[in-house]
Amino acid sequence: MHRHVEWDDPGSDSVMRHFEQQPGSASPPGRGDILSARYQGKVVRVRVEAYVNDTSIGDVVAIIEPDSGTRRRQLGKLCLGDTVRLPDDRRAFEPRGKERPDEPEEAR
């Protein structure tokens, strides 16, 4: 059974919007791929088990606080291991981490 999730709108981090600007560079997700989306402001990673009608079906493998990188086991009713449906239009790129000013540029 799939857990119903109301994914956040990916906005400027939309994977679909990125690929619309670069036609031909996108391929459908495959089994084992890890996709990201946003849920209640957090980053959720999903491991794809199947891809049907522009929707990935898979298990939640991470729930991450975007500012700190802290991982959670649960967010509301969503838990690690839950099987979810992730439509292509809700996929999001991972947020860029904060750059540390003391870190050499080549290490970034």
Side-chain angles (χ1 to χ4, degrees):
M1 184 65 134
H2 301 105
R3 168 137 345 254
H4 178 75
V5 176
E6 291 291 332
W7 300 105
D8 297 350
D9 184 334
S12 63
D13 290 331
S14 170
V15 171
M16 293 303 294
R17 186 179 308 166
H18 172 79
F19 285 121
E20 285 173 355
Q21 297 170 2
Q22 298 182 8
S25 61
S27 59
R31 186 179 176 135
D33 287 350
I34 305 292
L35 306 178
S36 295
R38 305 286 165 64
Y39 176 65
Q40 296 183 0
K42 310 302 185 254
V43 174
V44 176
R45 293 183 184 157
V46 176
R47 180 182 302 118
V48 177
E49 292 298 322
Y51 184 72
V52 180
N53 298 328
D54 301 326
T55 299
S56 297
I57 302 166
D59 296 334
V60 174
V61 295
I63 302 170
I64 305 166
E65 299 277 348
D67 293 335
S68 66
T70 302
R71 292 177 179 250
R72 303 174 66 154
R73 298 191 58 73
Q74 181 175 354
L75 178 61
K77 293 182 179 182
L78 184 66
C79 300
L80 289 180
D82 284 348
T83 301
V84 297
R85 292 177 166 273
L86 176 55
D88 283 348
D89 67 349
R90 294 300 181 194
R91 290 172 47 200
F93 287 108
E94 296 269 337
R96 295 189 69 189
K98 295 179 183 174
E99 294 182 14
R100 291 179 272 169
D102 60 335
E103 185 177 294
E105 189 170 325
E106 59 271 0
R108 292 184 195 159

